[in-house]
Amino acid sequence: MTVPAAHQGQPRKAALAAWIGSALEYYDFFIYGSAAALIFPKVFFDESDPATATLLSLATFGVAYAARPLGALFLGHFGDRLGRKRIMLFTLLLMGVSTFLIGCLPTRAQIGGAAPVLLVLLRVLQGISAAGEQASANSMTLEHAPPHRRGYFTSFTLNGTQAGQLLATLVFIPVASLPEDQLLTWGWRIPFWLSVAVAVVGWFIRRNVEETPAFVQQAAAAEGVARMPLLVLLRDHWADVLRVIAGALVASVSTIFTVWALAYATSDAVGLDRSDMLWVGALANLAALGAIPLWAHLSDRVGRRPVYLAGAAGSAVMMAAYLWAISTGSYPLVLLFGVLAFGVVYSAANGVWPSFYGEMFATRVRLSGMALGTQIGFAIAGFAVTFAAQIAGPDGDDWGAVALFTAALCVPPVLAALTARETHKVPSERLGLREGRPAQDRTPVEA
């Protein structure tokens, strides 16, 4: 596919927009995770039963993941019909507004049971936004990228996600250090209110990125875009959708590391300091910022599958080591294994999946395929935190059971990668081909 001269400067702009937009949007998403582990059990739920309050708070974290498949159906459809750029702008605005409103919510002490209900509703809006964010940003960078560097350029979306998590953690460190009464009254609200600035900055960056050449050329071609991309997707790419669902379960490593392990480490069973544990997350994400593009660059040379497999299988082992380190109460061990597990090993899978998944689909169904497949898998991964809290026992300290559970969730991603095609050398215009011809050539569903 020949790239018009007007688009030749766009790959870096698209990567920058994906990086900054994802960083800003996932800042919003991840501050909720920290608050769900440290703050919300005391603010929105019944303090007389701390264990149940923590379980319910962690369940609200998973609610956003449950909403993601619905958001994927809606946003994936319009992303393949109307373009990647419009969805990227919409998701950023929706995330910023819903996050700001969380910071404005009255507490349970002020309005009773309505408080957690409102919290869940806004969390659902966060989930719908996140459902379209990564798929649209990944599609944008993949379709703008040079064919031999698709892995590297698409990794900026996930690199931005890690930057957002790092920013969220850094913001929460001084907040978590506030005296208890200030923290639980107004302090926890500050990171959520900052989402206004997040949305404004992201909007101005993304509005200046052009639509991708692949989508523009497809829209101008005789066959146009599919009227019902989902029907085309499920008929011609159903096996790859299943692979992406299975592969997306690797995100359980992130949710358990970010939320359950934080709650466990700061519980009475271990007693590590809140701020110290937030620094573990910050340094792990800082390591990931460097590791993700390096792993992605390697995948452009040796292939997506071996790098992804190393990350998925290695995460099963390293997360067990990290949880063991927490159980010892030794902060140096926790810091070491936290950085290795999440910052280095998990980054291999995390940095490669945007190109690995996106290259499975043709242009006309790429956003739908990535959105639907990843968000169903992410929905399961989101509730992994709740299941981990349940299987950790009545005292919440059975880290071995949680380690085995996390390892089990890494098995489907390994199997998905083993059965997938290697695509790192496939020309961009031939991605998604079936039986020597594009899948869309066999569909009657035309614009």
Side-chain angles (χ1 to χ4, degrees):
M1 179 172 58
T2 303
V3 179
H7 291 287
Q8 290 180 357
Q10 285 295 306
R12 288 184 176 83
K13 290 183 181 179
L16 177 62
W19 188 92
I20 295 180
S22 293
L24 297 178
E25 179 148 339
Y26 272 80
Y27 159 81
D28 290 358
F29 198 72
F30 282 119
I31 59 174
Y32 190 100
S34 297
L38 302 175
I39 310 297
F40 291 166
K42 300 176 181 179
V43 173
F44 289 104
F45 299 96
D46 187 359
E47 288 189 78
S48 64
D49 187 356
T52 301
T54 298
L55 180 62
L56 291 174
S57 181
L58 295 180
T60 67
F61 180 80
V63 162
Y65 287 88
R68 281 180 162 204
L70 177 62
L73 289 172
F74 176 78
L75 296 174
H77 169 83
F78 284 103
D80 282 327
R81 286 283 294 158
L82 303 177
R84 288 60 168 119
K85 180 177 177 177
R86 293 182 183 181
I87 300 302
M88 290 174 70
L89 292 173
F90 174 77
T91 58
L92 189 69
L93 182 62
L94 180 61
M95 180 66 81
V97 171
S98 58
T99 305
F100 174 78
L101 291 178
I102 289 176
C104 298
L105 284 178
T107 66
R108 182 183 180 88
Q110 294 171 319
I111 63 171
V117 172
L118 293 173
L119 179 67
V120 169
L121 289 176
L122 291 173
R123 182 62 175 164
V124 167
L125 293 181
Q126 279 193 322
I128 291 174
S129 172
E133 162 59 29
Q134 283 185 332
S136 58
N138 288 340
S139 297
M140 175 71 81
T141 52
L142 179 69
E143 292 168 9
H144 271 303
H148 62 289
R149 302 195 71 191
R150 294 191 301 251
Y152 175 75
F153 276 98
T154 55
S155 74
F156 277 82
T157 303
L158 266 294
N159 195 274
T161 299
Q162 299 306 122
Q165 189 167 352
L166 173 61
L167 179 61
T169 303
L170 291 176
V171 168
F172 244 98
I173 287 173
V175 170
S177 300
L178 290 171
E180 188 83 356
D181 60 329
Q182 296 180 27
L183 174 65
L184 298 181
T185 52
W186 57 266
W188 69 269
R189 299 178 185 275
I190 294 175
F192 291 90
W193 288 337
L194 291 175
S195 62
V196 171
V198 167
V200 171
V201 172
W203 176 273
F204 280 104
I205 291 170
R206 287 189 164 184
R207 67 192 297 268
N208 293 318
V209 179
E210 297 179 10
E211 188 55 80
T212 70
F215 183 85
V216 171
Q217 290 180 10
Q218 173 189 278
E223 71 271 12
V225 296
R227 290 178 180 173
M228 294 297 293
L230 182 63
L231 297 181
V232 179
L233 175 72
L234 295 181
R235 188 191 62 205
D236 296 331
H237 294 273
W238 62 268
D240 287 323
V241 172
L242 292 178
R243 288 188 181 94
V244 174
I245 292 172
L249 293 181
V250 77
S252 302
V253 173
S254 176
T255 57
I256 290 176
F257 178 93
T258 303
V259 183
W260 185 85
L262 176 60
Y264 168 52
T266 57
S267 68
D268 292 339
V270 179
L272 290 172
D273 182 73
R274 280 187 308 224
S275 296
D276 289 343
M277 285 305 301
L278 288 172
W279 272 112
V280 173
L283 293 174
N285 278 286
L286 185 62
L289 289 179
I292 283 175
L294 292 178
W295 286 120
H297 178 69
L298 181 63
S299 79
D300 282 329
R301 291 177 171 270
V302 304
R304 317 296 184 217
R305 291 175 63 194
V307 177
Y308 182 90
L309 283 168
S315 291
V317 177
M318 291 305 301
M319 275 299 292
Y322 176 60
L323 296 179
W324 165 80
I326 292 176
S327 73
T328 68
S330 170
Y331 186 70
L333 281 177
V334 172
L335 181 60
L336 172 63
F337 284 106
V339 171
L340 289 176
F342 192 73
V344 179
V345 177
Y346 175 67
S347 293
N350 207 30
V352 171
W353 76 252
S355 55
F356 193 26
Y357 300 167
E359 289 171 348
M360 295 181 186
F361 303 104
T363 301
R364 62 171 18 201
V365 295
R366 179 168 293 125
L367 204 156
S368 294
M370 293 189 72
L372 183 62
T374 56
Q375 300 317 312
I376 292 176
F378 288 165
I380 300 171
F383 278 101
V385 174
T386 307
F387 290 126
Q390 290 178 320
I391 66 177
D395 297 325
D397 59 354
D398 190 353
W399 67 268
V402 176
L404 289 174
F405 174 62
T406 307
L409 289 172
C410 290
V411 173
V414 169
L415 295 177
L418 289 173
T419 61
R421 300 176 304 279
E422 182 55 74
T423 53
H424 75 295
K425 291 186 177 180
V426 176
S428 297
E429 65 272 16
R430 294 185 59 82
L431 293 174
L433 292 184
R434 293 293 185 275
E435 299 174 0
R437 52 180 178 165
Q440 60 263 37
D441 286 349
R442 296 185 282 110
T443 176
V445 187
E446 301 292 345

